[in-house]
Amino acid sequence: MRHRLPTAVAAFVAASLLLAGCGGGDDEDTPSGSSSAPAEPTASETTEPPEPTYWPLTGLERTGKAPEHPVIVTKVDNTSSSAPQVGLGAADLVVEELVEGGYTRLAAFYYSQVPASIGPVRSMRASDIGIVPQGATVVTSGAAPVTINRINGAGIPWITEGDAGVYRENTRSAPYNLFARLGEISKRLDAEEEPPPYLPWGTEADLPQGVKARTLTADFGAHSTSWQFQDGGYVNTDSYAAAGDQFPADSVLVLRVKVGDAGYTDPAGYPVPETKFEGKGAALLFHGGRVVRGTWSKDGLHGDIELSTKSGELTVPAGRVWVELVPAVNGDVTFAK
């Protein structure tokens, strides 16, 4: 004789069985949009990749944060007495400028890296006001009083002998024995903001075809600087740099500039020239064994450098660039296939 369940319990069991039957079934029967489907990420949960950043003196893409120090421009002697020059291989960019007697001096720019030592360090010129980017600090052996007044008036900070990190190398003769420990100097300099691009940067694909030019010479008068295209870059064939420490130029940019009188003479009695790095002039961009002709312009001493051809804007392929500021009068540029 079967036992009979109480009425309430029987009703509960029946209801439970009914619910179980409704909730059962295979996964294929699960309605779309049910709670078992993965949730789509919301717009606030989606992260965009960070915008790429670029080094201002080379145009190359940068990983990581910018240095805390400003651009450091070091004035370097460029005569045979300077040999061997030290530290040029670490520069981001170099500008060669005319000084008295038809010789040249280098303004070596450091930002992405700084060498342990650089030299021989020599004096500033008024020409540097148009060359040195705003916010940069200059390492120099000093300058004539009239030049110092103009440099100070332009708001360019500078470091010289007597400051920490600037020293005399006792194996060399003065005045070609002043050197600077840029690594030490950079640690005590702070930049208020990241510097803007020094040149209008682009890619090799942006360049017009130009014409073949595997060698070039920039003639300043008493001194000439020659380059040869080798293994994808340009080698300074008459460099005074130490072996293995030459500047590895990806491009050479020649800008023809006006030159005036700085208003005084050097100790040897030569008039000191002043490069007028503003206005406009002819430009020659050497890259990849070819040369593109164009025009440069600069709105004032602190304006941006702009390049163009008859077809429009001209950009410099990202990389390390040597800039030749060759006098439009009494200077010359030659090149050959």
Side-chain angles (χ1 to χ4, degrees):
M1 186 175 181
R2 297 178 181 175
H3 295 284
R4 195 180 290 274
L5 291 173
T7 304
V9 174
F12 173 80
V13 171
S16 298
L17 292 173
L18 179 62
L19 291 173
C22 293
D26 296 331
D27 291 341
E28 293 178 354
D29 298 326
T30 302
S32 61
S34 69
S35 60
S36 62
E40 294 291 331
T42 63
S44 60
E45 294 172 338
T46 304
T47 57
E48 294 291 335
E51 289 289 330
T53 54
Y54 300 90
W55 291 109
L57 301 181
T58 64
L60 297 171
E61 188 170 349
R62 185 184 72 219
T63 57
K65 296 181 179 179
E68 295 182 357
H69 61 78
V71 172
I72 303 173
V73 178
T74 306
K75 295 305 300 293
V76 180
D77 188 84
N78 196 41
T79 65
S80 58
S81 299
S82 69
Q85 297 162 331
V86 175
L88 286 185
D92 286 330
L93 181 144
V94 174
V95 176
E96 184 171 8
E97 61 185 286
L98 179 70
V99 292
E100 52 275 15
Y103 292 94
T104 65
R105 194 150 293 174
L106 307 180
F109 290 52
Y110 299 89
Y111 188 62
S112 68
Q113 57 181 334
V114 290
S117 188
I118 175 71
V121 176
R122 296 303 304 275
S123 58
M124 299 178 288
R125 296 292 184 272
S127 305
D128 295 321
I129 297 173
I131 294 170
V132 174
Q134 289 187 292
T137 294
V138 179
V139 177
T140 174
S141 64
V146 62
T147 300
I148 290 176
N149 289 339
R150 293 185 61 185
I151 293 288
N152 289 340
I156 301 174
W158 49 284
I159 292 170
T160 190
E161 187 172 10
D163 294 321
V166 183
Y167 66 98
R168 292 282 176 179
E169 174 56 66
N170 56 20
T171 61
R172 301 200 185 201
S173 300
Y176 308 101
N177 62 346
L178 190 68
F179 283 73
R181 298 185 181 94
L182 290 197
E184 176 184 330
I185 291 171
S186 67
K187 292 177 181 177
R188 66 174 191 268
L189 299 178
D190 293 317
E192 295 183 0
E193 57 186 4
E194 190 172 346
Y198 191 77
L199 292 171
W201 299 112
T203 67
E204 192 174 70
D206 299 328
L207 274 185
Q209 185 177 13
V211 298
K212 289 183 178 179
R214 298 186 66 86
T215 64
L216 71 122
T217 298
D219 187 357
F220 290 83
H223 173 82
S224 296
T225 298
S226 297
W227 298 89
Q228 189 172 79
F229 182 67
Q230 298 178 8
D231 300 323
Y234 289 84
V235 176
N236 183 351
T237 56
D238 46 16
S239 171
Y240 300 121
D245 202 9
Q246 289 193 15
F247 180 79
D250 295 302
S251 303
V252 178
L253 177 61
V254 179
L255 306 179
R256 304 303 300 270
V257 295
K258 295 178 181 179
V259 176
D261 190 337
Y264 65 100
T265 59
D266 72 355
Y270 289 104
V272 176
E274 180 180 349
T275 294
K276 306 292 186 179
F277 198 22
E278 59 182 330
K280 62 182 179 179
L284 295 168
L285 175 55
F286 294 85
H287 181 85
R290 307 184 73 86
V291 60
V292 177
R293 294 181 181 272
T295 303
W296 69 270
S297 62
K298 194 164 177 279
D299 185 10
L301 293 175
H302 299 298
D304 295 332
I305 300 170
E306 298 181 355
L307 302 171
S308 62
T309 65
K310 292 180 180 178
S311 301
E313 181 186 15
L314 175 63
T315 58
V316 181
R320 297 167 82 176
V321 180
W322 184 291
V323 181
E324 303 276 17
L325 298 183
V326 180
V329 179
N330 300 326
D332 195 17
V333 182
T334 56
F335 57 86
K337 296 180 181 181

